[in-house]
Each structure stands twice: as structure tokens, then as C-alpha cells.
């Protein structure tokens, strides 16, 4: 059975406007799938829909099975145990996804206490281990508020929080967009190593073909809320079947050529 099975997923506004239509894909344990497309293609909306985190005024249709549990129209009480334990998300801007009024250590402790039922010394030890795993071993980090640390440190903290309860699936939604090139490479390497070491499934969302090809084996190309192509990443890059995919590949190559001439 797939860890994540999406069938005919749609997302609509209250007025009936379709934002996502007839999306279907499966993700097995340990598999890595990239979602790629331009801004507004429905990538981030997909990550919210599969975890039951759609905002007010949006509704989902179709089927999303996360570890065998139906997410679409499920009550919140059924979804809370899945978030963190089965699937966790790393968002693209840690400064807005982290609680600005809570110290980093306490934010890491929350999912550990909820899903691993640790308390006292055991909880403090687990928090230190989670931060150390993402190279935030300095004790001052745990006592800091998000605004007191750098962007790269905030993203590492967000990864520590996402992985603290040992999920089976990590969803990374443009996790390096807000970072400079050097820090971006460090975060991608960290994610790659942690996913590999833990044997997690990865749903990696990006507009960057080069990043997706480095992080995943398969890719799903999205345009205007619809999946237009799926296949092994190298096959899709070298032999795109859909005109939109060919346009994406062509744009990436043109940018590479332009940068190479500088």
C-alpha cells in the first residue's frame, strides 16, 4: 500500500472556482517525488490539501489517503495525529512558519511531546538531539526566538521541528527559496542526507529543475492546477512529452547558457 495515495484530487473556492483539478499520484515509503511548475501552478496547494491544511474558503474533493486514512473531509481530530507522526512539512519561509513568540527549543519540543510522549529529562535530551542533527548544537539556539537567529539557522530549526516526531513522509515546499545560494546548497545537502538516513518518503516542491533533479528520482509537472506530465526526472528533462514541460526545460537551458556566457 502507498504511503500517500492521491486520486482525482480537486480544490475549489467557495464560489466554485477550481484551483486544482483531477490530480492523481502515489508515493511509496522511501520514494522521492518532485512537484514542479511555475508560481500559481498548484504545487503548494497540493501540499496543503494532502495534509488537510487548506485555508478558510477552500474545499477539497476526490480522495487523499495518508497512511490509509482519508484526509478529504476528515474531522480535525483524525488529522492531528497524522501531522508530524506520518507527514511533516517544511515551508519556504521559516520566519513566517515559526512562532515568533516561542523559543526554538520549545517549538522543537512540542511535536516530540505530542507524538513521542517524552517528558522531563528525556524530552530535553530529544530536543538537543534534534537540533544537533541539523547542526544547531549551540545551546543558545534552543533559547533563542526566531528573529534572533539567521535565515539559514531558522530553516534548520524548521527542519528539526518537522523531523522531531520521526515522520514517514517529509513534504518540502520550496525550502530554500528565501536563502542565499551558499546556504541553499547547505540546506539541500542536509535534507538529502536526513531523508536518505531515515529512509523517508519525500515530496519536494520547487520551480527549479536542477534542484528537483538533485533531490528526487521522479517528477510530476503541474500547470494551472493540472498535472501535465509525470516520469523519471532524467527522462522528463531529456525527452519532455508535454509542450509546457518542454517550455520549462527550454527556459532552464536558456538560463544556464546565459549564465555560462557571463
Amino acid at each position: 500500500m502507498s504511503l500517500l495515495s492521491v486520486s482525482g484530487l480537486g480544490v475549489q473556492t467557495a464560489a466554485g472556482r477550481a484551483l486544482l483539478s483531477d490530480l492523481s499520484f502515489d508515493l511509496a515509503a522511501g520514494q522521492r517525488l518532485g512537484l514542479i511548475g511555475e508560481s500559481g501552478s498548484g504545487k503548494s496547494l497540493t501540499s496543503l490539501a494532502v495534509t488537510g491544511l487548506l485555508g478558510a474558503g477552500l474545499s477539497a474533493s476526490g480522495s487523499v489517503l495518508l497512511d490509509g486514512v482519508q484526509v478529504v473531509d476528515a474531522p480535525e481530530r483524525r488529522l492531528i495525529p497524522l501531522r508530524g507522526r506520518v507527514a511533516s512539512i517544511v515551508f519556504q519561509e521559516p520566519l513566517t512558519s515559526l512562532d515568533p513568540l516561542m523559543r526554538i527549543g520549545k517549538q522543537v519540543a512540542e511535536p516530540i511531546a505530542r507524538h513521542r510522549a517524552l517528558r522531563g529529562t528525556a524530552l530535553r535530551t530529544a530536543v538537543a538531539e534534534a537540533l544537533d542533527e541539523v547542526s544547531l548544537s549551540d545551546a543558545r539556539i534552543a533559547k533563542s526566538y526566531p528573529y534572533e537567529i539567521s535565515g539559514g539557522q531558522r530553516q534548520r530549526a524548521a527542519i528539526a521541528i518537522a523531523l522531531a516526531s520521526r515522520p514517514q513522509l517529509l513534504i518540502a515546499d520550496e525550502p530554500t527559496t528565501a536563502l542565499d545560494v551558499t546556504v541553499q546548497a547547505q540546506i539541500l545537502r542536509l535534507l538529502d542526507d536526513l531523508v536518505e538516513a531515515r529512509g523517508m518518503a519525500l515530496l519536494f516542491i520547487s520551480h527549479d529543475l536542477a534542484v528537483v533533479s538533485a533531490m528526487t528520482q521522479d517528477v510530476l509537472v503541474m500547470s494551472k492546477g493540472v498535472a501535465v506530465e509525470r516520469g523519471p526526472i532524467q527522462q522528463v528533462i531529456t525527452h519532455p512529452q508535454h509542450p509546457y514541460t518542454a517550455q520549462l526545460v527550454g527556459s532552464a537551458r536558456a538560463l544556464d547558457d546565459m549564465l555560462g556566457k557571463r
Side-chain angles (χ1 to χ4, degrees), residues 43-54 66 82-94 97-98 155 157-165 167-175 191 200-203 205:
K43 307 184 304 296
S44 295
L45 196 59
T46 299
S47 71
L48 298 176
V50 301
T51 49
L53 290 172
L54 290 174
L66 183 57
L82 298 178
R83 299 180 189 135
R85 180 181 62 81
V86 176
S88 288
I89 301 181
V90 177
F91 295 99
Q92 60 181 284
E93 178 44 84
S97 61
L98 295 173
Q155 194 62 293
I159 294 169
I161 294 167
L163 299 184
S165 47
Q168 302 171 61
L169 166 63
L170 180 65
I171 301 172
D173 184 3
E174 299 271 14
L191 279 173
M200 291 184 292
L202 176 66
L203 184 62
I205 297 168

Side-chain angles (χ1 to χ4, degrees), residues 171-229:
I171 301 172
D173 184 3
E174 299 271 14
T176 59
T177 298
L179 306 174
D180 64 51
V181 175
T182 301
V183 178
Q184 180 185 78
Q186 294 171 353
I187 296 298
L188 289 175
R189 194 178 310 114
L190 173 66
L191 279 173
D192 188 36
D193 291 344
L194 290 173
V195 169
E196 182 69 24
R198 293 194 181 191
M200 291 184 292
L202 176 66
L203 184 62
F204 192 90
I205 297 168
S206 180
H207 63 277
D208 191 322
L209 270 172
V211 171
V212 171
S213 65
M215 294 296 295
T216 70
Q217 301 106 352
D218 296 287
V219 64
L220 183 71
V221 183
M222 299 186 67
S223 176
K224 298 179 180 178
V226 177
V228 297
E229 187 166 349

Side-chain angles (χ1 to χ4, degrees), residues 49-66:
V50 301
T51 49
L53 290 172
L54 290 174
L58 299 179
S59 61
S61 57
S63 174
V64 175
L65 292 175
L66 183 57

